[in-house]
Amino acid sequence: MPIEFQQDRPIYQQLMDRLSNEIVRGDRMPGDKLPSVREYAVDTGVNPNTVSRVYRELEQLTIVESRRGQGTFVTEDRMRLNQLREELKERQIDRFITEMKQLGFSKEEMILGLQAKTKEEGN
């Protein structure tokens, strides 16, 4: 099923984020085989060249690895996957803080808001 992409960011970056999020959430486990380039291109509704770029970029970041004749797989390096999880967490926190500051909220208001929200969700 094709994905609706944001207009303000390159599609390949959005697909990289999507796959990284799936890996961090555990939807794709260490050692799991990713769909072929053509299959993922059809699934997402993008050009196969875009998917090739996504896989290459993720391989350079050591999040996935290519195995000649077998395909592309999620890395089994759990330290790297933990590092990816921390990187994504930091990116989300930075984005949150930036947006809240732009709205005029103080650090204290952010903390109180987070505490109240997590308490109401039971976390």
Side-chain angles (χ1 to χ4, degrees):
M1 133 173 81
I3 301 169
E4 287 196 30
F5 292 99
Q6 300 168 357
Q7 296 297 315
D8 61 341
R9 291 183 56 231
I11 290 173
Y12 84 92
Q13 287 180 341
Q14 293 177 61
L15 288 175
M16 286 178 61
D17 287 348
R18 177 187 170 120
L19 284 169
S20 295
N21 291 344
E22 289 172 0
I23 292 167
V24 165
R25 273 196 315 265
D27 296 342
R28 297 188 188 272
M29 301 301 290
D32 280 358
K33 186 177 190 299
L34 297 182
S36 72
V37 167
R38 290 193 188 283
E39 184 181 349
Y40 200 58
V42 169
D43 289 349
T44 57
V46 302
N47 186 300
N49 292 331
T50 302
V51 175
S52 289
R53 180 173 184 185
V54 169
Y55 284 10
R56 270 193 322 274
E57 298 270 344
L58 289 174
E59 187 169 14
Q60 288 178 336
L61 295 170
T62 64
I63 296 168
V64 302
E65 55 189 47
S66 293
R67 298 180 192 159
R68 174 166 254 144
Q70 295 180 14
T72 304
F73 296 79
V74 176
T75 185
E76 295 185 52
D77 181 348
R78 295 198 185 264
M79 285 181 56
R80 176 62 184 113
L81 295 176
N82 286 336
Q83 182 183 24
L84 173 63
R85 181 177 166 80
E86 288 301 310
E87 289 169 4
L88 294 177
K89 178 180 75 172
E90 290 296 321
R91 188 183 324 157
Q92 290 297 322
I93 291 169
D94 289 345
R95 188 175 298 144
F96 170 79
I97 290 171
T98 298
E99 290 177 8
M100 293 300 283
K101 282 182 178 178
Q102 289 173 349
L103 291 170
F105 288 96
S106 69
K107 181 171 107 177
E108 292 76 20
E109 288 173 309
M110 288 182 235
I111 291 169
L112 288 172
L114 284 170
Q115 288 172 335
K117 191 67 175 172
T118 56
K119 185 176 182 180
E120 102 187 15
E121 290 182 6
N123 293 329

